Amino acid sequence: MINCIDAVFDPEICQRLIAETPMSVMVTDLNLKIIQVNKSFVATTGYSISEAIGQTPRLLSSHRHDQHFYSLMWHAILETGQWQGEIWNRRKDGEVYPEWLNINVIRDHDGIVSHYAGVFSDISAYDNSRKRLHYMAHYDALTGLANRTLLDDRLGQSIDKACRDNAMLAVMFIDLDHFKRVNDSLGHSAGDKVLNAVAETLRQQVRQVDTVARISGDEFVVVFTDLQAVEHLAKVAKKMVEALGQPFDIGGESAVYVSASIGISVYPLDGENTEELLKNADIAMYKAKESGRNSFMFYTDQMGKVLQEHLLLERDLRTALENQELTVVYQPQVCAQDHRITGFEVLLRWYHPLRGWISPAVFIPIAENAGLISTLTRWVFTAACIQLKDWHQRFDQRLKMAVNISGKQFKLGRLDEEILNIIHSTGVTADRIELELTETSLIENVDKATEILNSIRQHGVCLAIDDFGTGYSSLNYLKLFDVDKLKIDRSFVQALFNGKSDSEIVTAIIAMANNLNIAVIAEGVETREQLTFLQECGCDEIQGYYFSTPESAAVIAQLLSPVLKD
């Protein structure tokens, strides 16, 4: 950097210093006429020495800076004798480039300003790297949409503006339905093409002033500013759901179909900051999924209350697991013809010290979402196997034990290894264990479920489809998973005499199972009339309050006792 060239400095050395420095140098007189430049100046600007001499620095002007910029620059030079900063200039070929410029005054022997010296370097490479880093930090590499960092920044600015203008804005949280199937079946390359197609579809549905962001794998967020009416937002959401439901052509043999669930929160009704609006839109999105997917839903205070309740129950469930407050009970399964006990379904029970009995229908989904389901199942399965081994030794080795398995567990580790390890460690006979799974849990994890269940079946463990008739009821699943038993859902049994359709469904299920050599058990049997109907249809086993409620192991032992039987 040349801060000052003193007149007493050797002129020859000074000229060599200017000529050989790797930085570009330009010296002017007090009228700003260029009187000297060096080789680096020529290389940077493209102007030869003869073309530059006699010109003013306006020769390099990019016209990107206004008069105010130059006024501040010269104010600093005249007051302090120097200025430095980033400035945009233009090369001879017309290319505009950024440079880092230092301007210093040159004084004579008497300390009077006689010349000005500008020393600068081309920083375009640095500027491009800086822009690249900025892009990488703020934009999604795959889709080019804003990322979470930029979304937070823009949403925060939009909230501040809406607050000043007393206006509304909306946040849409968009999650693709069953997107994992696309990656699993077509590969991640196809999945990336779908994500890009979704991103482009979202861009087309919004205004330029709105922000579209991709915040994770298949999750997108749209921020709508200057919202005039919530009713208009519903129309936009409906249009967006329809657009995302159209087939995407990604260059394969056939188009790819996806759908989306959308949750919507509105400022200031549903939150006054970025965190609240995103959280509540996310809650509404999950509610849309629970309601059947491929739809949208607005956030309500009730959703927040439900979430808070779930969080409290999750905390208490963790405590209950640590303190061993959960218990298991067993409901007998009996032969439909002679009423002999053939086995049991093990059921989990939770008595909360303040809330009383909490239904499994409430706490099992909480355990699934909280990542506790594997711990719960492992504990229940171990207790059931130990109990079954005891009953085999004391009463009847033909007894079976049915254990419910959550579909979520197919995504968590090796379920087959855990089950087989417990069976072997407890010494129970594998073919006396029956795993109950719902149709929905199977279809959501077909490939993983097929692999794991086939591994378990090879060791003799039986497989039953629970709640049969309420899910997809695909005959292909019966073949794919080598099913041993179908369990008719209690809703059909309860409605046997309420209408023709339910009784016909039950009859058809039993007939189909008999033809396929698959056993059938009906749950929820509570009356003699229901039992008789099922017996006449050829149902193999019965489970329900007509025979027994779920009971503790001690009560079940009394039912199995030969003394009491006699």
Side-chain angles (χ1 to χ4, degrees):
M1 179 186 298
I2 302 176
N3 292 321
C4 180
I5 301 178
D6 198 301
V8 299
F9 197 87
D10 188 326
E12 183 179 349
I13 296 177
C14 183
Q15 293 298 323
R16 288 172 55 189
L17 176 64
I18 293 174
E20 300 301 329
T21 181
M23 301 182 72
S24 302
V25 177
M26 173 176 60
V27 180
T28 75
D29 59 19
L30 290 180
N31 295 319
L32 298 184
K33 296 291 184 179
I34 300 174
I35 62 173
Q36 187 174 2
V37 295
N38 66 353
K39 291 185 294 184
S40 181
F41 174 95
V42 174
T44 299
T45 68
Y47 289 101
S48 66
I49 294 177
S50 61
E51 288 174 321
I53 299 299
Q55 299 291 329
T56 69
R58 289 193 182 94
L59 175 70
L60 306 178
S61 177
S62 67
H63 303 293
R64 284 197 175 188
H65 305 288
D66 57 18
Q67 188 57 43
H68 180 66
F69 175 85
Y70 292 108
S71 295
L72 293 175
M73 173 194 292
W74 279 104
H75 177 77
I77 293 171
L78 296 175
E79 287 290 324
T80 68
Q82 65 175 355
W83 178 90
Q84 65 177 348
E86 185 176 321
I87 188 171
W88 287 85
N89 274 337
R90 187 185 302 274
R91 307 185 209 275
K92 182 179 179 179
D93 62 7
E95 179 188 358
V96 175
Y97 68 99
E99 66 180 36
W100 186 260
L101 172 63
N102 291 268
I103 300 177
N104 298 272
V105 300
I106 301 175
R107 302 178 187 275
D108 60 18
H109 288 285
D110 300 321
I112 305 300
V113 176
S114 60
H115 299 81
Y116 299 102
V119 181
F120 59 91
S121 58
D122 183 349
I123 61 170
S124 56
Y126 166 77
D127 189 66
N128 290 335
S129 296
R130 184 176 59 183
K131 289 179 179 178
R132 178 60 180 166
L133 289 173
H134 179 273
Y135 183 87
M136 293 172 63
H138 294 86
Y139 291 88
D140 174 51
L142 176 63
T143 63
L145 297 177
N147 64 10
R148 180 60 184 263
T149 300
L150 185 56
L151 170 68
D152 288 346
D153 181 63
R154 289 185 178 176
L155 180 53
Q157 293 182 32
S158 297
I159 291 172
D160 291 341
K161 184 177 184 302
C163 182
R164 292 193 303 269
D165 299 341
N166 195 27
M168 292 191 298
L169 65 83
V171 173
M172 277 190 183
F173 202 112
I174 305 163
D175 185 270
L176 302 183
D177 299 325
H178 303 303
F179 179 71
K180 183 177 181 295
R181 295 183 194 171
V182 177
N183 283 333
D184 290 346
S185 59
L186 301 178
H188 288 276
S189 177
D192 288 347
K193 292 179 181 179
V194 171
L195 291 174
N196 272 312
V198 168
E200 183 58 32
T201 299
L202 293 177
R203 286 191 190 98
Q204 295 172 1
Q205 301 300 317
V206 303
R207 304 164 299 175
Q208 286 188 342
V209 296
D210 301 321
T211 295
V212 182
R214 177 181 177 228
I215 61 173
S216 68
D218 62 338
E219 291 182 332
F220 299 81
V221 170
V222 179
V223 177
F224 293 92
T225 58
D226 300 321
L227 182 64
Q228 300 300 315
V230 175
E231 293 77 9
H232 173 70
L233 192 61
K235 295 179 182 179
V236 174
K238 181 179 180 182
K239 185 180 177 183
M240 195 170 289
V241 168
E242 292 173 350
L244 294 173
Q246 298 301 310
F248 290 110
D249 183 3
I250 60 172
E253 296 181 358
S254 59
V256 176
Y257 286 84
V258 296
S259 62
S261 299
I262 299 177
I264 307 170
S265 63
V266 177
Y267 171 88
L269 304 176
D270 304 324
E272 297 183 350
N273 56 55
T274 297
E275 183 179 357
E276 288 180 350
L277 290 171
L278 288 172
K279 179 192 69 175
N280 292 339
D282 189 20
I283 292 172
M285 181 275 293
Y286 275 105
K287 194 65 177 178
K289 282 191 178 293
E290 291 175 3
S291 300
R293 305 175 189 268
N294 194 31
S295 62
F296 66 91
M297 192 161 291
F298 286 87
Y299 174 80
T300 65
D301 288 340
Q302 184 59 33
M303 292 180 188
K305 293 177 182 178
V306 170
L307 176 63
Q308 184 65 26
E309 179 72 7
H310 281 190
L311 291 175
L312 291 174
L313 282 176
E314 177 187 328
R315 179 201 64 189
D316 293 346
L317 182 57
R318 291 181 185 276
T319 301
L321 274 168
E322 293 173 359
N323 298 338
Q324 299 183 346
E325 296 173 359
L326 298 169
T327 58
V328 292
V329 292
Y330 306 88
Q331 186 169 33
Q333 297 175 335
V334 303
C335 174
Q337 302 305 321
D338 61 15
H339 303 175
R340 173 181 54 85
I341 295 178
T342 57
F344 304 89
E345 179 181 6
V346 59
L347 301 168
L348 188 59
R349 293 292 183 262
W350 180 20
Y351 185 82
H352 193 283
L354 298 178
R355 302 168 184 260
W357 290 107
I358 298 179
S359 170
V362 172
F363 72 79
I364 292 298
I366 291 176
E368 290 177 334
N369 293 330
L372 298 173
I373 194 62
S374 291
T375 302
L376 274 180
T377 302
R378 190 182 307 113
W379 179 77
V380 171
F381 194 78
T382 301
C385 287
I386 292 174
Q387 187 59 70
L388 183 62
K389 178 67 175 180
D390 176 64
W391 287 338
H392 279 174
Q393 294 174 340
R394 295 168 57 193
F395 304 116
D396 189 344
Q397 293 187 355
R398 295 172 298 174
L399 294 173
K400 286 191 172 186
M401 184 72 76
V403 183
N404 291 283
I405 299 295
S406 167
K408 297 282 186 181
Q409 291 183 258
F410 292 120
K411 302 177 181 179
L412 306 173
R414 292 297 305 187
L415 177 63
D416 50 343
E417 293 178 1
E418 284 196 10
I419 288 176
L420 294 175
N421 285 339
I422 293 173
I423 289 174
H424 294 152
S425 64
T426 56
V428 72
T429 306
D431 63 3
R432 299 292 90 190
I433 297 296
E434 205 169 76
L435 303 182
E436 292 191 358
L437 299 104
T438 63
E439 297 169 85
T440 304
S441 68
L442 292 176
I443 193 174
E444 289 182 348
N445 306 277
V446 173
D447 294 337
K448 194 68 172 178
T450 303
E451 176 188 355
I452 290 176
L453 293 177
N454 285 342
S455 172
I456 295 174
R457 290 286 286 113
Q458 291 176 3
H459 291 79
V461 178
C462 300
L463 174 62
I465 305 298
D466 198 7
D467 300 336
F468 191 80
T470 61
Y472 297 88
S473 300
S474 171
L475 295 180
N476 186 49
Y477 299 135
L478 303 183
K479 175 183 177 181
L480 188 63
F481 296 109
D482 193 15
V483 176
D484 297 283
K485 185 182 293 186
L486 300 181
K487 196 168 192 178
I488 300 175
D489 185 67
R490 67 176 63 251
S491 62
F492 293 116
V493 175
Q494 295 298 312
L496 275 176
F497 306 110
N498 295 340
K500 186 178 180 181
S501 60
D502 289 287
S503 59
E504 289 180 341
I505 289 174
V506 171
T507 301
I509 291 174
I510 295 174
M512 175 195 66
N514 288 338
N515 289 332
L516 295 174
N517 198 30
I518 298 175
V520 182
I521 181 171
E523 64 178 347
V525 178
E526 298 181 359
T527 68
R528 179 67 189 181
E529 290 75 20
Q530 293 167 349
L531 172 62
T532 301
F533 180 90
L534 293 167
Q535 287 174 325
E536 292 175 351
C537 290
C539 187
D540 299 290
E541 294 176 298
I542 303 295
Q543 178 180 339
Y545 287 4
Y546 181 77
F547 293 98
S548 175
T549 58
E551 301 290 353
S552 66
V555 174
I556 296 299
Q558 294 179 1
L559 294 177
L560 295 173
S561 173
V563 175
L564 293 180
K565 286 181 181 179
D566 295 337

